[in-house]
Amino acid sequence: MLKFIRFFPHKVAITALVTIVVTVGLSLKQPVRIQAQLSNTSISSQLPDQWESAPLPNSGDSSLPDSRNLPFAGCLSSYPVALVPASGMGQTIAEYPTIFWYLPQTRAWGMEFKLTDSDNQEIYSTKYAFARYTPKDYQGTNAQLVVGTPGILSLTLPRLDGSSLPLKVGQEYDWIVRVICNPNDPSGDVYMAGTIERVSIDPTLARRLQQAPHEERVVLYAKERLWYEALEILVKLRRDRPNDQAVITAWNKLLKSVGLDIIAQPFVRESSTLIKQDDRSL
């Protein structure tokens, strides 16, 4: 039986190669002047309390299973989470947007990403083997784990000659991530999925975004409900300023607005290493 986490209508595909980045907390030096501009309320107070019009089920208590209280079989220590609104639909203005998901500690072999259009036509796919290391578990025995997890992973759709990319304005696309526990036995694989729609950008907004700092961009994107852009900027801020309380507050509020509170704290307390794995076409 396939196990879907926040499963939404999707189709399937297969073709190429991409860079996977574990985007967890990496502390980079920022000018003091820029950091000082960010107050505890400058971002979070302007973010929506609820991203979508329909009320979230059990708002404040994520509709996702709380994996901290549930056993989880297979190669994952808990449930992976697609970083998408509760409906599964997120909008973008990007030709080549970045898609995010949370991966818990795992022994998985790798992952597969697939993107299809509304006609179930394959747009892009890649299969990727994770880099692994071998630590000792609590019993002192070897355990092969994926480098960089638990943490938030991202995939940016690539610019490839002869492909059906970039995304077209006004069209919806379905994406799916398959966590591959055993490449020879798909029965234990776990799936995450979402839908992405590319929309046109208002010229006035485009001009404002060109001159706006990251903090203001988050607010502008959120007001237009451009999920993928708002999330990407906040992930960058959260990575670059792991101890900035204003960024933490904004990050937590964005996740709560779509019912993803369950991953807010893991992001704060997990690994503080940025890892870029070598590309491999499989």
Side-chain angles (χ1 to χ4, degrees):
M1 177 181 293
L2 300 183
K3 287 172 278 189
F4 280 86
I5 308 302
R6 278 211 163 177
F7 169 83
F8 306 103
H10 69 280
K11 296 100 182 178
V12 289
I14 192 161
T15 17
L17 151 77
V18 80
T19 298
I20 301 290
V21 180
V22 181
T23 53
V24 291
L26 173 67
S27 179
L28 298 180
K29 293 182 179 179
Q30 296 290 330
V32 175
R33 181 180 62 82
I34 296 177
Q35 294 241 21
Q37 293 175 354
L38 196 57
S39 71
N40 284 343
T41 58
S42 60
I43 300 180
S44 60
S45 65
Q46 299 180 73
L47 296 180
D49 294 320
Q50 188 172 290
W51 189 268
E52 297 169 320
S53 57
L56 293 173
N58 303 316
S59 183
D61 178 17
S62 175
S63 59
L64 293 168
D66 188 342
S67 57
R68 292 167 294 186
N69 301 320
L70 293 174
F72 197 87
C75 65
L76 293 155
S77 62
S78 60
Y79 288 94
V81 180
L83 271 62
V84 291
S87 67
M89 165 65 78
Q91 291 186 327
T92 183
I93 55 174
E95 294 182 320
Y96 303 92
T98 301
I99 294 164
F100 295 90
W101 64 94
Y102 172 79
L103 191 65
Q105 191 173 77
T106 179
R107 302 186 307 275
W109 173 86
M111 58 130 275
E112 183 178 37
F113 175 89
K114 295 182 180 182
L115 179 76
T116 56
D117 63 18
S118 57
D119 294 322
N120 199 25
Q121 296 299 305
E122 174 189 319
I123 302 300
Y124 173 76
S125 78
T126 185
K127 188 182 289 185
Y128 200 96
F130 291 138
R132 287 178 290 278
Y133 70 108
T134 307
K136 299 286 186 181
D137 63 17
Y138 69 97
Q139 295 178 325
T141 56
N142 291 339
Q144 275 214 340
L145 299 173
V146 171
V147 173
T149 59
I152 292 175
L153 276 66
S154 67
L155 183 150
T156 300
L157 296 179
R159 300 173 183 267
L160 297 173
D161 293 337
S163 77
S164 298
L165 293 169
L167 301 186
K168 296 179 174 59
V169 172
Q171 292 195 20
E172 295 182 7
Y173 301 83
D174 295 321
W175 60 264
I176 184 169
V177 172
R178 177 168 69 106
V179 180
I180 305 171
C181 290
N182 182 344
N184 299 315
D185 181 9
S187 63
D189 294 350
V190 179
Y191 294 75
M192 296 167 283
T195 302
I196 186 167
E197 178 188 16
R198 186 180 171 208
V199 296
S200 58
I201 183 172
D202 178 79
T204 302
L205 175 61
R207 287 193 294 271
R208 291 186 64 185
L209 287 169
Q210 286 179 347
Q211 302 176 357
H214 284 324
E215 298 89 343
E216 185 180 344
R217 288 183 189 181
V218 172
V219 175
L220 292 172
Y221 287 137
K223 287 182 177 179
E224 296 297 321
R225 294 303 189 269
L226 296 170
W227 170 255
Y228 288 91
E229 280 75 16
L231 178 64
E232 181 176 12
I233 295 294
L234 261 181
V235 166
K236 289 178 180 178
L237 289 172
R238 189 71 188 86
R239 176 198 65 199
D240 296 345
R241 307 179 191 177
N243 299 316
D244 190 321
Q245 189 56 51
V247 174
I248 293 173
T249 301
W251 170 255
N252 291 343
K253 185 172 183 181
L254 181 72
L255 294 182
K256 186 176 182 179
S257 73
V258 294
L260 289 174
D261 323 39
I262 195 170
I263 70 161
Q265 294 310 310
F267 189 101
V268 175
R269 63 174 181 262
E270 305 296 4
S271 167
S272 60
T273 305
L274 178 73
I275 297 171
K276 184 174 182 179
Q277 299 175 355
D278 292 334
D279 287 350
R280 267 163 289 182
S281 182
L282 302 170

PDB file of all heavy atoms in Angstrom, residues 82-98:
ATOM      1  N   ALA A  82       5.266  17.544   3.147  1.00  0.00           N
ATOM      2  CA  ALA A  82       5.327  18.459   2.016  1.00  0.00           C
ATOM      3  C   ALA A  82       5.004  19.864   2.516  1.00  0.00           C
ATOM      4  O   ALA A  82       4.006  20.069   3.202  1.00  0.00           O
ATOM      5  CB  ALA A  82       4.315  18.043   0.945  1.00  0.00           C
ATOM      6  N   LEU A  83       5.844  20.830   2.191  1.00  0.00           N
ATOM      7  CA  LEU A  83       5.612  22.197   2.646  1.00  0.00           C
ATOM      8  C   LEU A  83       4.711  22.919   1.646  1.00  0.00           C
ATOM      9  O   LEU A  83       5.161  23.632   0.746  1.00  0.00           O
ATOM     10  CB  LEU A  83       6.941  22.945   2.833  1.00  0.00           C
ATOM     11  CG  LEU A  83       7.569  22.820   4.220  1.00  0.00           C
ATOM     12  CD1 LEU A  83       7.909  21.382   4.545  1.00  0.00           C
ATOM     13  CD2 LEU A  83       8.796  23.712   4.351  1.00  0.00           C
ATOM     14  N   VAL A  84       3.413  22.693   1.826  1.00  0.00           N
ATOM     15  CA  VAL A  84       2.382  23.266   0.965  1.00  0.00           C
ATOM     16  C   VAL A  84       1.210  23.687   1.837  1.00  0.00           C
ATOM     17  O   VAL A  84       1.057  23.198   2.957  1.00  0.00           O
ATOM     18  CB  VAL A  84       1.895  22.251  -0.098  1.00  0.00           C
ATOM     19  CG1 VAL A  84       2.981  21.979  -1.122  1.00  0.00           C
ATOM     20  CG2 VAL A  84       1.448  20.948   0.557  1.00  0.00           C
ATOM     21  N   PRO A  85       0.346  24.599   1.349  1.00  0.00           N
ATOM     22  CA  PRO A  85      -0.860  24.935   2.095  1.00  0.00           C
ATOM     23  C   PRO A  85      -1.755  23.717   2.292  1.00  0.00           C
ATOM     24  O   PRO A  85      -1.569  22.683   1.649  1.00  0.00           O
ATOM     25  CB  PRO A  85      -1.536  25.988   1.197  1.00  0.00           C
ATOM     26  CG  PRO A  85      -0.413  26.597   0.423  1.00  0.00           C
ATOM     27  CD  PRO A  85       0.538  25.453   0.165  1.00  0.00           C
ATOM     28  N   ALA A  86      -2.743  23.853   3.174  1.00  0.00           N
ATOM     29  CA  ALA A  86      -3.598  22.719   3.525  1.00  0.00           C
ATOM     30  C   ALA A  86      -4.321  22.140   2.320  1.00  0.00           C
ATOM     31  O   ALA A  86      -4.567  20.937   2.247  1.00  0.00           O
ATOM     32  CB  ALA A  86      -4.602  23.141   4.592  1.00  0.00           C
ATOM     33  N   SER A  87      -4.651  22.981   1.331  1.00  0.00           N
ATOM     34  CA  SER A  87      -5.338  22.498   0.140  1.00  0.00           C
ATOM     35  C   SER A  87      -4.401  21.755  -0.802  1.00  0.00           C
ATOM     36  O   SER A  87      -4.846  21.057  -1.703  1.00  0.00           O
ATOM     37  CB  SER A  87      -5.967  23.672  -0.619  1.00  0.00           C
ATOM     38  OG  SER A  87      -4.946  24.505  -1.143  1.00  0.00           O
ATOM     39  N   GLY A  88      -3.115  21.930  -0.601  1.00  0.00           N
ATOM     40  CA  GLY A  88      -2.121  21.337  -1.501  1.00  0.00           C
ATOM     41  C   GLY A  88      -1.722  22.252  -2.627  1.00  0.00           C
ATOM     42  O   GLY A  88      -0.702  22.035  -3.285  1.00  0.00           O
ATOM     43  N   MET A  89      -2.512  23.317  -2.862  1.00  0.00           N
ATOM     44  CA  MET A  89      -2.253  24.233  -3.964  1.00  0.00           C
ATOM     45  C   MET A  89      -1.450  25.444  -3.509  1.00  0.00           C
ATOM     46  O   MET A  89      -1.793  26.090  -2.514  1.00  0.00           O
ATOM     47  CB  MET A  89      -3.576  24.712  -4.569  1.00  0.00           C
ATOM     48  CG  MET A  89      -3.459  25.930  -5.485  1.00  0.00           C
ATOM     49  SD  MET A  89      -2.501  25.602  -6.983  1.00  0.00           S
ATOM     50  CE  MET A  89      -3.724  24.712  -7.949  1.00  0.00           C
ATOM     51  N   GLY A  90      -0.376  25.742  -4.224  1.00  0.00           N
ATOM     52  CA  GLY A  90       0.397  26.946  -3.968  1.00  0.00           C
ATOM     53  C   GLY A  90       0.688  27.651  -5.271  1.00  0.00           C
ATOM     54  O   GLY A  90       0.913  27.001  -6.297  1.00  0.00           O
ATOM     55  N   GLN A  91       0.696  28.982  -5.252  1.00  0.00           N
ATOM     56  CA  GLN A  91       0.946  29.751  -6.467  1.00  0.00           C
ATOM     57  C   GLN A  91       2.377  30.276  -6.490  1.00  0.00           C
ATOM     58  O   GLN A  91       3.024  30.451  -5.458  1.00  0.00           O
ATOM     59  CB  GLN A  91      -0.037  30.912  -6.571  1.00  0.00           C
ATOM     60  CG  GLN A  91      -1.468  30.469  -6.826  1.00  0.00           C
ATOM     61  CD  GLN A  91      -2.398  31.650  -7.065  1.00  0.00           C
ATOM     62  OE1 GLN A  91      -2.223  32.722  -6.502  1.00  0.00           O
ATOM     63  NE2 GLN A  91      -3.395  31.449  -7.924  1.00  0.00           N
ATOM     64  N   THR A  92       2.855  30.547  -7.703  1.00  0.00           N
ATOM     65  CA  THR A  92       4.202  31.081  -7.904  1.00  0.00           C
ATOM     66  C   THR A  92       4.203  31.993  -9.117  1.00  0.00           C
ATOM     67  O   THR A  92       3.354  31.864 -10.008  1.00  0.00           O
ATOM     68  CB  THR A  92       5.219  29.944  -8.123  1.00  0.00           C
ATOM     69  OG1 THR A  92       6.533  30.508  -8.256  1.00  0.00           O
ATOM     70  CG2 THR A  92       4.909  29.151  -9.386  1.00  0.00           C
ATOM     71  N   ILE A  93       5.157  32.909  -9.152  1.00  0.00           N
ATOM     72  CA  ILE A  93       5.371  33.713 -10.350  1.00  0.00           C
ATOM     73  C   ILE A  93       6.639  33.267 -11.065  1.00  0.00           C
ATOM     74  O   ILE A  93       6.980  33.792 -12.119  1.00  0.00           O
ATOM     75  CB  ILE A  93       5.479  35.214 -10.008  1.00  0.00           C
ATOM     76  CG1 ILE A  93       6.561  35.452  -8.954  1.00  0.00           C
ATOM     77  CG2 ILE A  93       4.130  35.766  -9.566  1.00  0.00           C
ATOM     78  CD1 ILE A  93       6.834  36.919  -8.661  1.00  0.00           C
ATOM     79  N   ALA A  94       7.333  32.291 -10.492  1.00  0.00           N
ATOM     80  CA  ALA A  94       8.631  31.867 -11.024  1.00  0.00           C
ATOM     81  C   ALA A  94       8.484  30.914 -12.199  1.00  0.00           C
ATOM     82  O   ALA A  94       7.596  30.055 -12.217  1.00  0.00           O
ATOM     83  CB  ALA A  94       9.446  31.191  -9.922  1.00  0.00           C
ATOM     84  N   GLU A  95       9.368  31.041 -13.159  1.00  0.00           N
ATOM     85  CA  GLU A  95       9.430  30.083 -14.257  1.00  0.00           C
ATOM     86  C   GLU A  95       9.970  28.746 -13.770  1.00  0.00           C
ATOM     87  O   GLU A  95       9.564  27.682 -14.222  1.00  0.00           O
ATOM     88  CB  GLU A  95      10.324  30.609 -15.379  1.00  0.00           C
ATOM     89  CG  GLU A  95       9.800  31.837 -16.091  1.00  0.00           C
ATOM     90  CD  GLU A  95      10.736  32.260 -17.214  1.00  0.00           C
ATOM     91  OE1 GLU A  95      11.978  32.192 -17.014  1.00  0.00           O
ATOM     92  OE2 GLU A  95      10.235  32.635 -18.279  1.00  0.00           O
ATOM     93  N   TYR A  96      10.915  28.844 -12.835  1.00  0.00           N
ATOM     94  CA  TYR A  96      11.570  27.653 -12.290  1.00  0.00           C
ATOM     95  C   TYR A  96      11.539  27.734 -10.759  1.00  0.00           C
ATOM     96  O   TYR A  96      12.541  28.064 -10.117  1.00  0.00           O
ATOM     97  CB  TYR A  96      13.021  27.565 -12.781  1.00  0.00           C
ATOM     98  CG  TYR A  96      13.156  27.545 -14.287  1.00  0.00           C
ATOM     99  CD1 TYR A  96      13.329  28.729 -14.999  1.00  0.00           C
ATOM    100  CD2 TYR A  96      13.109  26.348 -14.986  1.00  0.00           C
ATOM    101  CE1 TYR A  96      13.455  28.717 -16.383  1.00  0.00           C
ATOM    102  CE2 TYR A  96      13.237  26.324 -16.374  1.00  0.00           C
ATOM    103  CZ  TYR A  96      13.402  27.511 -17.069  1.00  0.00           C
ATOM    104  OH  TYR A  96      13.523  27.493 -18.431  1.00  0.00           O
ATOM    105  N   PRO A  97      10.388  27.475 -10.171  1.00  0.00           N
ATOM    106  CA  PRO A  97      10.254  27.637  -8.720  1.00  0.00           C
ATOM    107  C   PRO A  97      11.008  26.568  -7.937  1.00  0.00           C
ATOM    108  O   PRO A  97      11.413  25.536  -8.475  1.00  0.00           O
ATOM    109  CB  PRO A  97       8.743  27.501  -8.505  1.00  0.00           C
ATOM    110  CG  PRO A  97       8.294  26.628  -9.640  1.00  0.00           C
ATOM    111  CD  PRO A  97       9.153  27.024 -10.809  1.00  0.00           C
ATOM    112  N   THR A  98      11.167  26.839  -6.648  1.00  0.00           N
ATOM    113  CA  THR A  98      11.788  25.897  -5.722  1.00  0.00           C
ATOM    114  C   THR A  98      10.713  25.267  -4.857  1.00  0.00           C
ATOM    115  O   THR A  98       9.843  25.964  -4.341  1.00  0.00           O
ATOM    116  CB  THR A  98      12.826  26.599  -4.829  1.00  0.00           C
ATOM    117  OG1 THR A  98      13.833  27.183  -5.664  1.00  0.00           O
ATOM    118  CG2 THR A  98      13.474  25.626  -3.868  1.00  0.00           C
TER     119      THR A  98
END
